Amino acid sequence: MGYSAMQASAPIASATLRGLQDQFAELDTELDQLRGIITSTVTALSNSFAGIEPHTLADDDTGLLLREHFSTGISTLQFEDMASQLIEHVRRRKAVLHELVTRLSVAVEHCNDPLSLRDALSSMHTDAEVLFQSVSHKSVAQTDMDSGDIELF
């Protein structure tokens, strides 16, 4: 790409990058909303547990049924932990992508010639590989409530 073509495409690239940044902001909003829903649900569940816990000690059918429901509730809390870990993992990945998009935007807007743009992109590519490696580890290796495991610490 010649220098004049690079200059002509810079506004389009900048607009695209701004659009990506807007999408990142929406992603943050949706993750916050999901986190709020999960937190609210877990709080309600915990409060319910506190109310029924004394009744689980009975040795009758009601006590047995309550213990079964209590066990299901604990699985729900484990789900909340997994979901929270996944949300944080997505946030870390999003932060890496946002950083790279920001750096790309700066490079496109401020590089005055193809050589400086190539150097900036080459440097970004090297940094991107390191950043992608830093978020490649998944803390939750589970796809449903019946299998997998959680890395607690």
Side-chain angles (χ1 to χ4, degrees):
M1 176 183 331
Y3 180 65
S4 61
M6 185 177 75
Q7 281 183 315
S9 64
I12 296 168
S14 293
T16 301
L17 292 171
R18 281 191 300 277
L20 286 169
Q21 289 173 331
D22 291 344
Q23 292 298 313
F24 287 138
E26 287 184 33
L27 179 61
D28 274 337
T29 300
E30 291 171 358
L31 287 171
D32 289 341
Q33 183 181 9
L34 178 58
R35 174 60 122 169
I37 290 168
I38 291 171
T39 299
S40 174
T41 302
V42 167
T43 299
L45 183 62
S46 294
N47 290 339
S48 293
F49 280 172
I52 65 168
E53 194 271 332
H55 303 285
T56 63
L57 301 175
D59 285 333
D60 58 10
D61 289 342
T62 302
L64 180 61
L65 183 62
L66 286 173
R67 284 190 293 277
E68 287 176 18
H69 286 291
F70 203 71
S71 177
T72 300
I74 289 179
S75 294
T76 303
L77 291 173
Q78 291 171 332
F79 165 78
E80 184 273 337
D81 183 53
M82 288 186 302
S84 295
Q85 288 182 43
L86 285 171
I87 288 170
E88 290 310 310
H89 186 73
V90 168
R91 282 187 192 278
R92 286 190 302 275
R93 282 186 179 266
K94 188 223 57 103
V96 164
L97 292 173
H98 186 265
E99 178 181 338
L100 292 172
V101 165
T102 300
R103 289 179 59 189
L104 182 58
S105 178
V106 168
V108 167
E109 289 180 21
H110 293 95
C111 289
N112 298 324
D113 61 84
L115 186 58
S116 65
L117 180 60
R118 188 195 72 197
D119 291 344
L121 293 176
S122 177
S123 174
M124 275 183 38
H125 178 71
T126 302
D127 293 347
E129 289 178 349
V130 171
L131 289 169
F132 291 147
Q133 187 66 29
S134 74
V135 293
S136 66
H137 173 71
K138 283 187 170 182
S139 57
V140 177
Q142 182 162 354
T143 57
D144 59 51
M145 290 301 293
D146 295 328
S147 66
D149 57 1
I150 305 171
E151 182 178 296
L152 295 175
F153 302 100

